[in-house]
Structures are given as structure tokens and as C-alpha cells.
Amino acid sequence: MHVVIMGCGRVGSSLARSLVERGHTIGIIDQNPKAFRRLGPDFDETTVRGVGFDREVLAKAGINRADAFVSVSSGDNSNIIAARVARENYGVPKVIARIYDPQRASVYERLGIPTVATVRWTADRLLRHLLPEDQEPLWRDPTATLSMVEIVCDEAWYGNALALLEQATGHRVAYVTRFGRATLPTPSTVLQDGDQVYMLVADGDEARIREIAGAAPQGGAA
């Protein structure tokens, strides 16, 4: 992927280095040119001085070919404005905004922009948003026969009960994060846009489950 990151603080620089190590390309933006020192002397990806909602700055960072945009500057307003510009003006598929005020998370997520709270999450959590299929399980039992992983669902699952997903995969949904808060699903819980789904999967079944969840439900469910 090509990922544009606004904000080269501790989180932004750590995320950038982690993505480069995984073979992805980066365009990172910050108003302070000294912030790029956090990237280290060997970092040879694109760095751009400016704000992440300026068209010229975004163009230099490669927004027109970006697969993802992450805004992790020090300001909530700047982060959400840049995230909306990336999504609405450039159609970037994956857009994530960091926030400092968790009470605003539900507002942003209703706009379809996943939010990451600084206190509870780190660059590792951002990576799970960007590369869910390239992460280690969140938990594995001592016998290594059962794991808990985050599953990305096709939008066609939205509006369907999680019980349908469990039936299709043959595995249980452990919990769902909605508007930044984890909840235990009930048989009537319906999957919504922006939900993060965590499932308990048997060893060797993860790829099959991701394939089922990543496609539309069989049988034309609502």
C-alpha cells in the first residue's frame, strides 16, 4: 500500500517506520520539519512540510495514489478535517483519525471515519486497522488451538445479525467495538458500519473465516 500520514510525532513516526519495514510506501506530512528527525537517518520515503488538508501538500505526499490516510497530528480538528478531505475529496479507501476527546468519537465514526483514542491505543492499533490480515492474534490459548483475531467484514454484512456471521463461519464472535466501546454481542446484535468484530477461531481456520466475512453473505441476507 501507499499510506499518507499527517503528523510525525511519536505515533506517526512509529507507524511510518513499521509500515516501511513491511514493504509499504509512505508520504508523511508535518508542519515542523524538525519532526522528521524521528524517522531516523535511513528513512528515504516522502516527507512534506505543511498541513494535511492542503491540496498541494497532499499531492506531494501522494494522495492521488494513496490506499490509506492516517491523521495523527496533535489537534482533533485538524485530524478530522484532513481525514474528511482524504475520504470525500480524494476517495481514499481507508481513512483513520486520532482524537484526544473520546466523547467526539461517535460523531466522527458516524461519518464513516474510524477513530483512535490516544490514551488507549498506539501505533500497533493503527496497524491493525490498516493491515488486519497481517497481524498476530490478539490472544492465543496455551495449547495454540484457539485464537482471537479481528475480522474485517464486507459492507454487505451491515444490517445483518452477528448470529448470521457465526452461522456462516462456524465460529463465535467474542466481542464488538462500537464507537470506541467494547460490547458483548447478543443473538439479536446487528452489525453496523464502523463496528470492529473480534472472533474466536480454531487453528487453521482464520484464512477461511476472513474469506467468508470479506465477501457478501450467501443467500442474499438483508
Side-chain angles (χ1 to χ4, degrees), residues 23-215:
H24 304 284
T25 59
I26 299 296
I28 187 164
I29 301 166
D30 201 287
Q31 296 185 68
N32 182 3
K34 294 182 180 179
F36 300 130
R37 296 175 182 175
R38 293 187 176 96
L39 298 168
D42 298 329
F43 188 86
D44 59 359
E45 298 293 316
T46 302
T47 58
V48 185
R49 181 182 180 182
V51 294
F53 42 85
D54 180 277
R55 290 180 178 273
E56 184 176 347
V57 170
L58 287 168
K60 291 179 180 179
I63 193 68
N64 291 312
R65 60 187 178 92
D67 302 288
F69 179 88
V70 180
S71 51
V72 287
S73 75
S74 59
D76 282 6
N77 290 336
S78 296
N79 286 341
I80 200 61
I81 290 172
R84 293 192 65 179
V85 168
R87 177 174 177 172
E88 297 171 12
N89 291 19
Y90 294 93
V92 179
K94 293 183 179 181
V95 176
I96 308 168
R98 184 178 71 169
I99 62 169
Y100 285 88
D101 182 1
Q103 293 182 353
R104 302 168 75 178
S106 61
V107 177
Y108 298 156
E109 295 204 2
R110 288 185 187 279
L111 296 173
I113 299 173
T115 57
V116 179
T118 56
V119 175
R120 291 171 296 167
W121 307 100
T122 62
D124 179 67
R125 187 72 194 103
L126 287 163
L127 282 170
R128 290 188 181 278
H129 276 295
L130 295 169
L131 308 171
E133 72 289 344
D134 190 34
Q135 302 298 318
E136 291 296 317
L138 295 169
W139 171 86
R140 190 187 299 275
D141 84 296
T143 66
T145 58
L146 191 66
S147 303
M148 183 167 62
V149 298
E150 182 176 356
I151 299 295
V152 177
C153 297
D154 185 89
E155 62 181 16
W157 287 97
Y158 301 158
N160 288 288
L162 284 171
L164 181 65
L165 178 64
E166 294 181 331
Q167 180 181 355
T169 60
H171 287 71
R172 295 291 302 274
V173 175
Y175 69 97
V176 175
T177 297
R178 180 174 294 170
F179 302 141
R181 178 171 297 180
T183 59
L184 294 173
T186 67
S188 61
T189 299
V190 173
L191 186 66
Q192 298 181 10
D193 188 4
D195 286 354
Q196 296 167 233
V197 179
Y198 299 85
M199 297 190 71
L200 293 170
V201 303
D203 186 45
D205 282 350
E206 182 179 344
R208 180 182 65 83
I209 291 170
R210 290 192 184 281
E211 182 178 358
I212 292 172

